[in-house]
Structure formats: C-alpha cells, structure tokens
Amino acid sequence: MLRFVLSSVAMLGVAGCMQGAAPDASTPSSDGVARKLAKGVSPAEAAVALGPDAGFERNPNNWDEACVSYNYGSSEAPKFVHAVFVNDAMTRATDGHLDICSYAEQG
C-alpha cells in the first residue's frame, strides 16, 4: 500500500512538471481562487468570476497564447491569478502570484 501511495505521489509530481512553467518567475501558492475558473472559459467569463483584469500579455513566441492577471489581494498586498488563454479558451490558471503575468524572462 505504501509503495502505491509513493508511486502515485511521484507520478503527480512528474505530471506537474510536464505542464510547463508559469509565465513569470514568482512562485505561486494555492489560495484556491484559481479554482473559480473552469478549463475552457473565455476571458469575458473569467472577468465575471474574478473582476476586471489587472494585466494582459501576449506570448511573444506564440501569438495565440496570452496570460491575463486578475488581482484578488489588496492594494497594499496584491496577489494575482494568472490565467493562460489559447485562442480565447483558458488552458490553465494558478493563484498566489505576487506580480502580473510576464513572458519577459522566458527565452
């Protein structure tokens, strides 16, 4: 049983690495806010769930992809959801970021 649990955890860890890095270098925590967004939602639907976006950046290496930031923290201590859209359909979202999305550090 322990072997099954350990191998399951290892497989999940590898699967998480295979999804790719977030568009920026800030390390997200999981506050559960990103769970408000279902895979495939449009930017307009995300705005209904999280409010207006606080930043938008198109991927310079793939113009079909964009990262949109939504602030759910305070003005003194902002925290952002990063939602990645491909052809206006969300593919992934993470929360707990301290800065808005940026593809600048990716080469």
Side-chain angles (χ1 to χ4, degrees):
M1 180 66 172
L2 180 61
R3 178 179 278 187
F4 174 75
V5 171
L6 291 175
S7 60
S8 296
V9 169
M11 288 185 344
L12 286 173
V14 170
C17 293
M18 292 173 65
Q19 287 184 331
D24 73 332
S26 66
T27 302
S29 63
S30 182
D31 295 330
V33 178
R35 286 188 227 137
K36 292 181 180 181
L37 302 176
K39 193 171 187 176
V41 300
S42 70
E45 293 168 315
V48 168
L50 299 176
D53 72 79
F56 171 95
E57 185 166 351
R58 190 154 309 274
N59 183 343
N61 298 317
N62 178 1
W63 283 92
D64 293 332
E65 180 181 288
C67 185
V68 182
S69 302
Y70 300 92
N71 184 5
Y72 65 92
S74 66
S75 58
E76 297 82 26
K79 282 190 173 184
F80 298 94
V81 170
H82 289 181
V84 177
F85 294 89
V86 175
N87 296 322
D88 289 332
M90 192 192 77
T91 59
R92 65 186 183 276
T94 55
D95 56 33
H97 297 275
L98 302 177
D99 295 314
I100 62 173
C101 297
S102 176
Y103 289 99
E105 293 188 19
Q106 292 186 353

